[in-house]
Amino acid sequence: MQGVVDAAGAVFAAGLVLTVVAMAWRSSRWMRGRPARTFRLRDLFRLPRRYLVDIHDIVARDGAAARMHVFAAGGFVATSALIFLTLVLGLSVLAVPLALAALVMLAGAGVAAWRRWWARSDRLPSGAHDLVPPALAAFALFYGGAALGLVAGRDLPWNGPAGLVVLVAGVLGTVFFFPGLAVGPMRHAFAGATHLVLHPRPQRFGDRRAGAGAPSVTALRPLDLDGGDYGVRAGADFSRPQLLSFDACVRCGRCEAACPAFAAGAPLSPRALIIGLSSAGLDRPVVGDSVAADVLWSCTTCRACVESCPMTIEHVDAVLDLRREQCLEQGAVPGKGAEVLENLRQTDTPSGKMPAERWFWAADLDLPRASAGAGTDVLLWAGEGGFDLRGRRTLRALVRVLRAAGVDFAVLGEDEADVGDIARRLGDEATFRDLARRNIETLSGLRFRRILTPDPHVLHCLGEEYPALGGTYDVVHHTTFINDLLRAGRLHVVPRSDRRRVTYHDPCYLGRYGGEFDAPRQVLEALAVPLTEMPRNRTTSFCCGWGGGVPFTEPPVETRIPDLRMAEARASHADTVAVACPNCAVMLEGVPDPRCQVVDIAELVADALDGRGGGEGDR
């Protein structure tokens, strides 16, 4: 009996030694990155909750993968712990549990083989991960056999070819999993657990709508421009938690399946991006070496990849860090992006129009102007929707709603400059910082309780990114505000009489960035709108294609993103697409026929004030 125990124990102990060496080498690579937040012991104690609870909803979206990991990963962890106790420390009383754990792991190998070999999803790549099933089986049989030898009280036959095969398989399985945790295809397990402990955005594991003053879940880190921080050029310019997160990628392809740019045939694959970053040279330029430039400029920054990643990798942060260096150091913003940035520097608007033109649509409405001498409850921030006909329809409808509810509001007029969102997404931190500084100065001279906007990009920028620059405000989206008015009884609407089907398109910057999914739907419910959901909704909603400055960087695509989204709307048998973002409205209305009618929720509410209910708004 002792021969098999000694052999298995020795192999396992050697595997542990190699693992420690390999992990030290891998960790040394992460430590080459930019210093970030320090490790806190309480983060380690939070790992079980983060792994088992906080990311459960993401993992559970693929039930088959979740079940496979229960058997394979759970069996591996249990088997490894019992091997150490039984075969290394000599607690032979645990031989039966070890044999049972190995049996669970063997079942996991069968499930993994089914997923990898016979029922492979299109999003699963081939390669070294295809070796996982036989490695699981070899590991389980080798150490399970040793445990059975202990239970039987006699040695297993090691002589002859069969014994040699078992021994070699056990050694290979041990090497695949243990040193492989740091340098092989299984390194996502070690890196993933460490990543959850040292996550660059620990606030993701709390309530993203925790209230004013809570750490932002989605705001970009400010650059120290005076200190020479211009984004990421080489791999070592990423933070240590970022370098760690790239190794946490499991190559599952969920990010790729969720990515609108990838679906449109753009050069971007979030999975390929992270794989490239995990192998990027620490001292070599990332762009052009590990990542092609057009990959960066294809990203709509919609965070669909982030929300779908079971390892909680922050793909968008990496993209924007690289964009910043390309913009600030290289001046390499493609397409019309450079023109947009120049317009912002010269006129405070992306279109190059004068700020006063933002309010031309309201010439007949006698809107109250915010001033230092008179306070107001609500400051209405129009955003860039004030420059185009589509956005102006929404704004006029919103004004009707505010006046019907008796809301005390005012506007900035020509003092309203662009918030700088598009500059920051294109990587121009300096222009963003200048616009933000001047907007904060303007707002500091006024008295108001909250800022109201129909633009989720304004909502995010003012509410989430300005606080790091000294501007902290209570910013509310118009759908949230209207829903509050309805619930408070300050708005009286006549429910729709027609039975046209409506589907709601979740804007990325309202939903995934702002965490607001319910208010728009509750408003539609109050209007008695028969809502039919598209398959991709709420956190899995599909982007309209506007975010990240993509309409200006003009990456090559096979199909436009808004065309794909409108096809989903038509497939839901809806007649009308309700939107809650001026940019979404413009993108979806630009889809050629056949398409659904596109109506902002404010227009639906305004029409319901007099019982028209047709979604015509105030034209």
Side-chain angles (χ1 to χ4, degrees), residues 96-121:
V96 172
L98 171 56
L100 293 175
L103 185 61
V104 171
M105 189 176 175
L106 191 61
V111 178
W114 174 263
R115 279 181 55 80
R116 280 277 165 187
W117 299 343
W118 291 287
R120 180 193 294 273
S121 168

Side-chain angles (χ1 to χ4, degrees), residues 57-67 115 121 123-124 252 254:
D57 63 322
I58 300 176
V59 174
R61 292 174 195 168
D62 187 340
R67 289 186 291 273
R115 279 181 55 80
S121 168
R123 60 179 172 81
L124 289 179
C252 66
R254 296 192 196 192

Side-chain angles (χ1 to χ4, degrees), residues 141-497:
L141 290 171
F142 180 62
Y143 292 105
L148 290 176
L150 281 174
V151 173
R154 60 186 180 84
D155 200 1
L156 295 181
W158 287 96
N159 298 324
L164 181 61
V165 169
V166 172
L167 178 61
V168 171
V171 171
L172 292 177
T174 302
V175 170
F176 184 90
F177 283 109
F178 276 90
L181 287 173
V183 297
M186 298 306 296
R187 68 173 180 263
H188 70 272
F190 166 55
T194 313
H195 171 55
L196 288 176
V197 172
L198 300 174
H199 200 281
R201 290 186 181 273
Q203 59 270 34
R204 276 191 66 178
F205 303 105
D207 181 4
R208 71 167 56 209
R209 304 190 69 197
S216 173
V217 181
T218 53
L220 294 177
R221 70 176 182 92
L223 295 183
D224 180 11
L225 297 176
D226 295 334
D229 181 5
Y230 301 129
V232 168
R233 176 181 178 272
D237 295 329
F238 284 113
S239 71
R240 292 168 182 171
Q242 282 180 301
L243 289 176
L244 165 59
S245 73
F246 304 149
D247 281 339
C249 178
V250 70
R251 274 83 161 160
C252 66
R254 296 192 196 192
C255 57
E256 197 172 80
C259 178
F262 183 80
L268 171 62
S269 158
R271 173 171 55 189
L273 168 70
I274 298 302
I275 292 174
L277 294 178
S278 71
S279 59
L282 296 177
D283 300 313
R284 298 195 305 272
V286 174
V287 178
D289 186 2
S290 302
V291 176
D294 57 0
V295 167
L296 302 181
W297 304 107
S298 299
C299 178
T300 67
T301 68
C302 71
R303 287 183 65 86
C305 53
V306 176
E307 291 288 348
S308 65
C309 177
M311 304 307 290
T312 68
I313 298 171
E314 295 283 344
H315 311 64
V316 175
D317 285 355
V319 166
L320 293 181
D321 277 340
L322 291 167
R323 280 189 181 186
R324 286 163 152 178
E325 193 275 338
Q326 287 290 290
C327 175
L328 296 172
E329 290 275 54
Q330 310 298 328
V333 181
K336 296 180 182 177
E339 179 183 335
V340 166
L341 294 175
E342 185 60 28
N343 287 340
L344 282 168
R345 300 182 194 112
Q346 298 296 326
T347 68
D348 294 342
T349 66
S351 60
K353 298 177 181 178
M354 293 298 103
E357 294 183 46
R358 183 183 278 109
W359 296 95
F360 281 3
W361 56 269
D364 62 327
L365 298 180
D366 191 26
L367 298 182
R369 175 75 179 271
S371 64
T376 186
D377 183 46
V378 173
L379 184 64
L380 176 59
W381 196 288
E384 294 309 295
F387 288 113
D388 65 79
L389 293 175
R390 188 64 196 78
R392 289 173 173 179
R393 296 206 303 268
T394 297
L395 288 164
R396 289 184 70 90
L398 180 56
V399 168
R400 285 183 60 202
V401 172
L402 296 179
R403 285 181 165 165
V407 176
D408 175 27
F409 74 98
V411 302
L412 285 174
E414 64 268 19
D415 290 337
E416 180 186 321
D418 186 83
V419 294
D421 170 76
I422 190 64
R424 203 169 211 197
R425 304 305 138 184
L426 289 175
D428 191 346
E429 184 79 1
T431 298
F432 163 74
R433 201 73 68 86
D434 179 62
L435 289 166
R437 175 185 57 80
R438 288 188 283 119
N439 278 325
I440 291 172
E441 288 178 357
T442 298
L443 294 173
S444 66
L446 303 175
R447 289 187 295 115
F448 57 90
R449 191 165 69 90
R450 63 175 65 178
I451 298 174
L452 171 66
T453 181
D455 190 334
H457 295 262
V458 171
L459 174 78
H460 170 74
C461 209
L462 288 177
E464 302 292 337
E465 304 207 331
Y466 274 36
L469 303 177
T472 301
Y473 313 106
D474 181 5
V475 190
V476 61
H477 188 253
H478 75 308
T479 58
T480 307
F481 191 75
I482 290 172
N483 189 48
D484 290 342
L485 293 176
L486 289 167
R487 294 167 73 90
R490 295 179 61 183
L491 267 181
H492 302 283
V493 296
V494 178
R496 290 170 59 103
S497 58

Side-chain angles (χ1 to χ4, degrees), residues 42-57 196-197 204-207:
R42 63 177 182 234
D43 290 329
L44 183 61
F45 293 124
R46 289 170 177 165
L47 175 60
R49 174 179 173 82
R50 290 180 178 179
Y51 186 78
L52 297 173
V53 178
D54 291 333
I55 65 173
H56 176 267
D57 63 322
L196 288 176
V197 172
R204 276 191 66 178
F205 303 105
D207 181 4

Side-chain angles (χ1 to χ4, degrees), residues 517-534:
F517 301 102
D518 295 330
R521 290 173 170 84
Q522 289 170 358
V523 172
L524 294 174
E525 182 181 357
L527 299 178
V529 168
L531 181 64
T532 175
E533 295 279 13
M534 287 181 270

